[in-house]
């Protein structure tokens, strides 16, 4: 797909210089008419701050944004919204998730980011987003990878990853080599990178490499959900089933195994269930 961009010297504000200029193509928004160029600038400003095909070419250095927090906090939902926005402003998107997701969401999780509500961000092959009339979408792919495969992709996927403006990783706690991958995308290829995943496991201990990315990222968002016990904001993931002595930290699942917990309920229920592994660390 051929792309034309506004000249850096055009008489528009520095922010709107990130915006794609595509003569003859529909605006990615419904309102059109007199002064379309102004409208394009006005409407796109808020999303152009974070992503835009122009930005990559201009800066040659990308960004890394981390979206973390406990289970059921809305990490995947937030990531999917970011990607939908990026895509609807003409960016090519490549999203990666863990092949472990298929264990809880089935085969659709091989090519979609699936949330606990059952919503999904889906790539082009499934033809979801292209059906909205008048919108000019960048291509999108979602691929699941196994930890045993590393960051290897089929050749067409590897090309799509290479040319993407925006790269996303969901379930990042399951991905060894996360830091090298994120840095390669942002600093070698100039891509905007979103990393979503758990920072801690059910014991509130470091999970994978998500935390290690913090000193290298541009922004961190730690989301909270709703405590399943009391309705206050949840900050932690509580494992609600006993998987036996020496249980694995990694155990894929949803609400049959985990619950969102506020601090008070996490401590109370951890002790009530005699789960030494979740007792306060100061005891
Ligand atoms: N205890 C729960 N069990 C199942 N779903 C929940 C629970 N608490 C919240 N949810 C739903 O999960 C949604 C968030 O899903 P998702 O974006 O997949 O979160 P995350 O990626 O952080 O686990 C919330 O909007 C809410 O509707
Ligand atoms: C706390 C915790 C979680 N997991 C697993 C359970 C789920 O499969 C994912 C988290 O998914 P979400 O999108 O954040 O809801 O991680 C685990 O293996 N070990 C844990 O301690």
């Amino acid at each position: 797909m051929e792309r034309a961009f506004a000249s850096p010297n055009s008489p528009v504000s520095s922010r709107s210089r990130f915006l794609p200029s595509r003569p003859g193509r529909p605006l990615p928004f419904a309102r059109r008419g007199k002064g379309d160029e102004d409208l394009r600038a006005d409407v796109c400003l808020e999303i152009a701050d974070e992503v835009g095909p122009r930005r990559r070419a201009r800066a040659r250095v990308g960004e890394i944004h981390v979206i973390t927090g406990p289970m059921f906090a809305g990490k995947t939902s937030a990531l999917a919204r970011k990607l939908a926005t990026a895509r609807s402003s003409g960016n090519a998107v490549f999203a990666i998730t863990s092949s472990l997701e298929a264990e809880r969401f089935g085969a659709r999780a091989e090519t979609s980011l699936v949330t606990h509500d059952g919503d999904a961000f889906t790539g082009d092959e499934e033809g979801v987003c292209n059906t909205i009339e008048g919108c000019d979408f960048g291509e999108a792919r979602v691929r699941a990878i196994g930890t045993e495969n590393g960051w290897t992709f089929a050749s067409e996927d590897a090309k799509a990853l290479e040319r993407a403006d925006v790269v996303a990783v969901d379930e990042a706690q399951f991905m060894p080599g996360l830091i090298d991958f994120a840095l390669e995308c942002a600093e070698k290829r100039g891509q905007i990178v979103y990393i979503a995943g758990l920072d801690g496991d059910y014991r509130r201990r470091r999970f994978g490499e998500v935390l290690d990315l913090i000193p290298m990222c541009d922004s961190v968002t730690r989301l909270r959900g709703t405590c399943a016990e009391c309705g206050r904001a949840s900050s932690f993931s509580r494992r609600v089933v006993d998987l036996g002595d020496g249980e694995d930290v990694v155990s894929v699942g949803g609400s049959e195994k985990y619950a969102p917990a506020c601090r008070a309920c996490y401590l109370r229920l951890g002790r009530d269930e005699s789960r030494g592994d979740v007792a306060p660390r100061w005891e």
Side-chain angles (χ1 to χ4, degrees):
M1 179 170 55
E2 193 179 322
R3 284 188 170 154
F5 299 109
S7 157
N9 301 319
S10 63
V12 291
S13 75
S14 58
R15 295 174 84 207
S16 61
R17 277 197 273 117
F18 299 152
L19 301 171
S21 164
R22 301 173 180 200
R25 284 168 172 261
L27 283 171
F29 300 92
R31 249 180 344 123
R32 285 174 59 80
K34 189 167 176 284
D36 268 353
E37 290 306 310
D38 291 344
L39 178 64
R40 185 196 305 270
D42 288 343
V43 175
C44 291
L45 275 180
E46 59 187 22
I47 48 185
D49 274 350
E50 288 194 5
V51 292
R54 172 72 187 139
R55 186 177 180 110
R56 226 182 117 195
R58 189 188 68 101
R60 297 194 181 279
V61 173
E63 296 175 3
I64 300 175
H65 301 281
V66 175
I67 302 168
T68 190
M71 287 181 69
F72 309 105
K75 300 181 301 297
T76 302
S77 306
L79 182 64
R81 283 195 300 273
K82 290 279 184 198
L83 298 183
T85 303
R87 191 178 183 207
S88 66
S89 56
N91 292 275
V93 168
F94 194 100
I96 298 162
T97 188
S98 167
S99 58
L100 293 175
E101 284 289 87
E103 284 184 30
R104 57 177 179 162
F105 294 126
R108 67 194 288 234
E110 294 286 337
T111 50
S112 300
L113 304 183
V114 186
T115 74
H116 287 292
D117 296 323
D119 301 332
F121 177 86
T122 306
D124 282 332
E125 298 89 337
E126 291 73 25
V128 173
C129 293
N130 289 321
T131 57
I132 302 172
E133 198 181 333
C135 286
D136 182 17
F137 288 107
E139 65 176 343
R141 273 179 207 228
V142 181
R143 291 290 177 265
I145 58 169
T147 45
E148 70 284 1
N149 302 337
W151 299 86
T152 52
F153 299 91
S155 69
E156 284 308 308
D157 291 340
K159 285 181 204 158
L161 171 59
E162 178 86 21
R163 64 177 176 257
D165 301 296
V166 177
V167 176
V169 180
D170 198 15
E171 303 302 330
Q173 72 276 2
F174 292 141
M175 312 279 193
L178 179 71
I179 293 179
D180 289 344
F181 176 77
L183 291 177
E184 182 176 337
C185 293
E187 298 181 359
K188 283 198 186 151
R189 292 203 288 269
Q191 294 165 320
I192 304 293
V193 184
Y194 291 106
I195 303 292
L198 298 170
D199 50 356
D201 61 19
Y202 73 98
R203 305 164 306 173
R204 302 190 300 180
R205 296 190 193 150
R206 168 191 299 269
F207 202 170
E209 295 178 20
V210 174
L211 276 179
D212 300 313
L213 259 183
I214 306 291
M216 302 173 202
C217 77
D218 296 274
S219 79
V220 186
T221 306
R222 192 172 199 273
L223 297 173
R224 297 203 287 177
T226 304
C227 177
E229 292 295 317
C230 71
R232 283 192 291 249
S234 63
S235 299
F236 312 111
S237 317
R238 197 170 68 83
R239 194 174 268 179
V240 297
V241 287
D242 200 336
L243 299 179
D245 284 345
E247 65 186 69
D248 290 337
V249 166
V250 174
S251 182
V252 173
S255 52
E256 77 289 356
K257 281 189 192 166
Y258 301 93
C262 70
R263 189 178 298 273
C265 291
Y266 181 88
L267 295 177
R268 179 172 56 84
L269 293 166
R271 277 190 264 184
D272 281 352
E273 292 171 11
S274 306
R275 298 178 61 89
D277 51 6
V278 298
R281 299 179 94 174
W282 38 262
E283 268 192 346

